[in-house]
Structures are given as C-alpha cells and as structure tokens.
Amino acid sequence: MMDRRVRLRDRDGRFGLSKDKAETPVGQLQWGGRFGAGPDAVMQAINVSIGFDQKLWREDITGSRAHAAMLGAQGILSAADVEAIDAGLAGIAAEIEAGKFTFVDALEDIHTNIEVRLTERIGDAARRLHTGRSRNDQVATDFRLWVRGAIDSVTAQVTDLMKAMAGRAAEHAASVMPGFTHLQTAQPVTFGHHLLAYVEMLSRDAGRLRDARARLNECPLGAAALAGTSFPINRHMTAAALGFDRPTANSLDSVSDRDFALEYLSALSILAMHLSRFAEEIIIWCSSPYKLISLTDAFTTGSSIMPQKRNPDAAELTRAKTGRIFGALLGLLTVMKGLPMAYAKDMQEDKEPVFDATEAISLCLAATAGMVRDMQADTARMAALAGSGFSTATDLADWLVRVLGMPFRDAHHVTGRIVKLAEDQNIDLPAVKLADMQAVEPRITEAVYQVLTVDASVASRTSFGGTAPSNVAAAAAKWLEILA
C-alpha cells in the first residue's frame, strides 16, 4: 500500500507561521476540478476533523454498506459494484479494528478517508458509492447512529446504578437517619428512603434518554446536500436497514438538524446534576462532623502531607465533571443559535462536545455505582443524629392536632414554645419533662412521649411515598423487580 502519511511543514517551528501547503501523496485533492492548489497549513489545521470524527468509522461504514445495497436494489449500481463495495468496506473495517488503517489529515474527515481507501482497494466501483448522497446527509446519519448507540450505553449504566441504589435501599429500609432541609436537621427518614429518592431521579433521566432516542430515530441518508436527489433512491430501505423508524421528512431539516445532539446533551446535563447532588451528599456524609458512611480504599485517596486523610475524590470528581457536561450543552447551543439553513461547517463543532460529555458521564456513572456498592453506613451514628435538632417536633405538633383537636397553626405555636424550652435546657424533645410541657399546654399527657422517638416518627409516615420502613421495603422491592 502506498505511503498515506501526511506532514505539515513549518519552517519556524511554530504552528501557523508557515505559508507552506500541507503535503499529501494520496493523489488529487477531494474537491474535484474547482480547486487547483492545496490549502494553507493553517486552513488545513482548522478544517480537519479526522482527529476526532474517526470515532464514527463504524457508523460510516455501516451507513455506506446500506446505501450501496439500496443503490443496487434500485438499479443505480450494478450487482458487481455493490459486491465489490461491500467487500471493500468490510475489509476496511477489519483494517481499522486491527489498527492497520492510517488516518490521513489531508483527507479531512472520516468519510473521505474511508472512500479514498476504498478506491485504493477496489478501484472505480468505489467512486460510484457517493451517488445520491452528500457528506452532509452522510455525517448527519453517522452522528445519529453514534448518539443512538451512546444513549443505549448510558441508559444501561443508569439502570445499573438504579439497581445498586435500590439494592442498598432494601438493605437499609429501616435504618433511620436525619432528614435535612436547608442542610439543617428536619425530620427523621430512613437511609433506604433517601437512596430511593435518587432512584426516582434516575428513572426520569432514563425516561429522558429514551424519549431523545425515539425522536432522533429518523434517517437523514438520501437527503443529499440539502435538496434531495434526482436519482430514484429508496430512503425507506436505507432507514430500515440502519434500524431507523423512518426517513426524515424534509431534506433541508435533515442536514441542518442537530436537535438530537442537543436533546441528548440536555438529558446528560440533568443526569449529571443528579449525580453531582449525590456526590455532594457522599462528601458530606463522609466528613468528620457527620461520619454517616465510609468508603474503602477502592474509592478514596490519601494526602501527600496528612497521613490520616481519606479523601472521597471519586465523588469530588463526579461533582466537578458536571461542569464539562453543562459546558458541552451550552457550547453546542451557541454553535447552532445563529446558523441559517441548511448545513454550515460550524456544525463540525458538534461532535467533540458530545464525545467528551459521553465519556465524562459514563465515567461518573461507573464511579457512582461503585461508590454505592462500596459505601458502608454507620447505622448507629445515623440513628444518633436522626434524633438531634428536635427532629420530632412535627410529630409533637401532629399529636396536638390529632389527640387534642388543636388547629395546626396553634399546634405549631405550642410546639415552637416547647422546642424553645428544650433548647434553653440544652436537651432534646424526648427529655423534656411532662410538667414543663404542661406549663405550655395543660392538656398534654404522658402519651405524647410515644410519638417523640425517632423510630416512632419514621414508622408513622405511612402515607404514599412516605419514609415508613414498610413503605421503603415495598418500594425497593418494586424497583428491583422492575429493573430486573
């Protein structure tokens, strides 16, 4: 095979100063007869995309094989040409898989790299493959195929994380812990209930990903540059062959639409936000003032100077990578916001943020699932803190309403006075003497102490979606059944 390597010459040793052209021994430039000279080195550097769009090689070959088969079925290509193209593309796939394919910068993108190599392998038949299509619809098809596969992969990881959380929730259905609002102790909940809150969030994330997949599953192939083609192609055939529900309905929209990438990044951004919230809680729970959970050496790191440290770096990096994913969404929105119809080279900037965000979210999901399975809850510490901060005050107010028939606003006021009394004495509510309570509200009886314990509080929260251990156990079991 001929030497397909490419060099960029720069006499000054600094990128961008040389006026020399990029050299390629591949053959004529891919623009046909319109251009008589090669691009400036800077032009080539800003224009080339093979450094990142080579990730689309599988999708590009798959789309080309489907396109060739359709051209043959429609009588546009001969059976011999289709057979040669299909075998040649299969051979190129094997070369890439084996690491024997040389990606050439001067050929700009994955489409031209594969087409030129196909021409080297099979000759003129390869030059007929591009009949009835453009790189505009070709890249739109490749990118949709890649995003569709990424959605399936990310959704599987979300499901795995949900299983991990639901499993730990079942284990801790009755493990009481402090529930917080404003990061202040509010009411007791169970650890299982807390974990199931994230299962609910993740289920919505999975739903958004599925919705995005359904909307993107239309095939642009055959829309050509922007106006369709005069060849008698069968777009429904290629759409079906590539697993799409249907071909896209408007050729202009087909090549200019990147909503599918934006919707995917939007779904990833919300997912990343949820992972970041959980990461923040892991960091808090692991901290010395709380010590509600611990992580093993598998998901922590140490300090170069403080030998006692065990840092939850996996959680911290999950929290940080959210910014990369948000940035990918905002970046692509900014690229698309001012583009007139139809295709513009600006859209070349669509792939890197999607690739980067996908890699980041996949790593974050793996790390979070690992931490969920790794973490050990200190249930005694959780129970001790669950009763702090007058966490059963609402139970006292509810008792005043239920037993004494007091309007809730009056009960709220009475409870507040009793909390103030306990605070002044530096004790928790269950330790307040009956006589002191009766000094605030004479009708209070000894029975009130039955609702002031943490266990009684969580057991009473039996309303649908509440934190009662029986509710949590049932919800965890239901999720595990669904996810199985």
Side-chain angles (χ1 to χ4, degrees):
M1 184 172 67
M2 69 175 71
D3 181 2
R4 308 178 71 240
R5 293 171 296 177
V6 175
R7 300 189 306 279
L8 281 178
R9 296 183 299 185
D10 188 342
R11 287 190 299 264
D12 298 303
R14 290 171 294 170
F15 173 74
L17 295 182
S18 174
K19 296 300 182 182
D20 290 334
K21 304 299 185 285
E23 294 184 305
T24 175
V26 172
Q28 68 176 28
L29 295 169
Q30 296 306 301
W31 314 121
R34 176 64 180 83
F35 287 78
D40 186 275
V42 176
M43 177 59 199
Q44 175 157 311
I46 197 171
N47 195 49
V48 68
S49 62
I50 189 61
F52 53 86
D53 71 11
Q54 61 184 263
K55 285 180 180 286
L56 300 176
W57 71 264
R58 289 184 181 86
E59 291 76 15
D60 196 73
I61 288 174
T62 299
S64 289
R65 294 177 80 172
H67 184 66
M70 180 275 295
L71 293 176
Q74 295 298 104
I76 299 169
L77 291 187
S78 68
D81 280 349
V82 173
E83 184 178 353
I85 289 169
D86 193 71
L89 289 171
I92 292 171
E95 285 181 8
I96 298 175
E97 287 277 15
K100 296 179 179 179
F101 187 95
T102 303
F103 294 100
V104 179
D105 284 0
L107 296 179
E108 186 181 330
D109 57 33
I110 187 61
H111 323 297
T112 309
N113 267 266
I114 288 175
E115 184 177 338
V116 168
R117 178 64 184 128
L118 184 63
T119 304
E120 293 171 2
R121 290 179 64 104
I122 68 172
D124 281 348
R127 300 180 188 278
R128 300 186 180 98
L129 172 60
H130 211 51
T131 306
R133 73 175 183 185
S134 161
R135 285 194 303 175
N136 295 355
D137 61 330
Q138 189 177 357
V139 70
T141 303
D142 291 357
F143 199 23
R144 282 182 187 244
L145 287 170
W146 193 94
V147 172
R148 189 176 71 185
I151 287 175
D152 292 344
S153 178
V154 171
T155 302
Q157 284 192 277
V158 171
T159 301
D160 179 66
L161 177 54
M162 291 172 69
K163 288 179 181 178
M165 285 185 162
R168 299 309 301 270
E171 179 185 343
H172 290 286
S175 300
V176 293
M177 68 172 290
F180 300 96
T181 61
H182 308 276
L183 206 56
Q184 305 294 313
T185 301
Q187 293 177 288
V189 296
T190 72
F191 190 37
H193 192 58
H194 197 117
L195 292 174
L196 286 179
Y198 284 98
V199 174
E200 295 290 336
M201 293 182 201
L202 292 168
S203 72
R204 296 192 294 272
D205 293 318
R208 275 182 283 271
L209 288 165
R210 287 191 294 268
D211 290 345
R213 190 191 194 284
R215 267 183 289 279
L216 77 74
N217 208 35
E218 297 181 345
C219 183
L221 195 58
L226 76 163
T229 178
S230 60
F231 289 97
I233 62 173
N234 184 343
R235 294 188 61 209
H236 289 83
M237 178 179 174
T238 48
L242 295 172
F244 289 106
D245 295 330
R246 64 192 69 84
T248 49
N250 182 285
S251 60
L252 284 167
D253 180 56
S254 300
V255 299
S256 65
D257 169 44
R258 293 298 184 270
D259 289 1
F260 64 92
L262 290 167
E263 189 170 4
Y264 172 57
L265 289 176
S266 178
L268 292 195
S269 294
I270 299 173
L271 169 58
M273 177 268 292
H274 289 154
L275 298 182
S276 183
R277 292 183 69 181
F278 185 65
E280 173 74 6
E281 297 206 291
I282 287 177
I283 293 162
I284 292 170
W285 294 341
C286 285
S287 67
S288 296
Y290 285 89
K291 293 183 178 178
L292 298 182
I293 68 167
S294 61
L295 295 170
T296 70
D297 294 352
F299 288 94
T300 56
T301 64
S303 165
S304 64
I305 189 172
M306 295 170 285
Q308 82 282 10
K309 293 296 293 297
R310 183 189 291 276
N311 300 320
D313 283 0
E316 291 175 7
L317 289 167
T318 295
R319 183 176 60 181
K321 286 184 183 295
T322 302
R324 295 173 70 112
I325 296 166
F326 288 1
L329 173 60
L330 182 58
L332 186 52
L333 283 168
T334 304
V335 166
M336 297 301 298
K337 71 168 183 64
L339 297 187
M341 205 74 77
Y343 180 82
K345 198 58 176 281
D346 308 53
M347 292 184 192
Q348 185 167 288
E349 293 297 310
D350 59 358
K351 297 166 200 64
E352 286 186 285
V354 170
F355 294 159
D356 183 75
T358 301
E359 183 178 345
I361 200 70
S362 179
L363 190 55
C364 290
L365 284 164
T368 304
M371 287 187 288
V372 168
R373 293 185 169 104
D374 180 76
M375 66 185 182
Q376 293 300 313
D378 187 337
T379 54
R381 175 71 173 164
M382 286 181 171
L385 289 181
S388 66
F390 314 111
S391 65
T392 57
T394 305
D395 298 275
L396 171 56
D398 289 347
W399 186 89
L400 294 173
V401 171
R402 188 170 56 252
V403 176
L404 302 186
M406 190 178 292
F408 183 79
R409 284 300 166 202
D410 293 343
H412 186 284
H413 180 73
V414 168
T415 300
R417 290 177 61 190
I418 294 173
V419 167
K420 179 65 167 60
L421 187 153
E423 190 174 41
D424 291 342
Q425 296 179 21
N426 197 28
I427 57 176
D428 284 325
L429 278 178
V432 177
K433 294 178 181 178
L434 179 61
D436 290 337
M437 291 192 192
Q438 289 174 335
V440 177
E441 171 49 62
R443 292 179 293 166
I444 294 177
T445 68
E446 189 81 29
V448 74
Y449 290 102
Q450 297 174 6
V451 303
L452 296 184
T453 66
V454 166
D455 287 337
S457 176
V458 296
S460 71
R461 306 293 171 180
T462 55
S463 59
F464 183 80
T467 193
S470 56
N471 283 9
V472 176
K478 179 182 177 181
W479 270 118
L480 289 170
E481 181 180 358
I482 291 170
L483 295 168

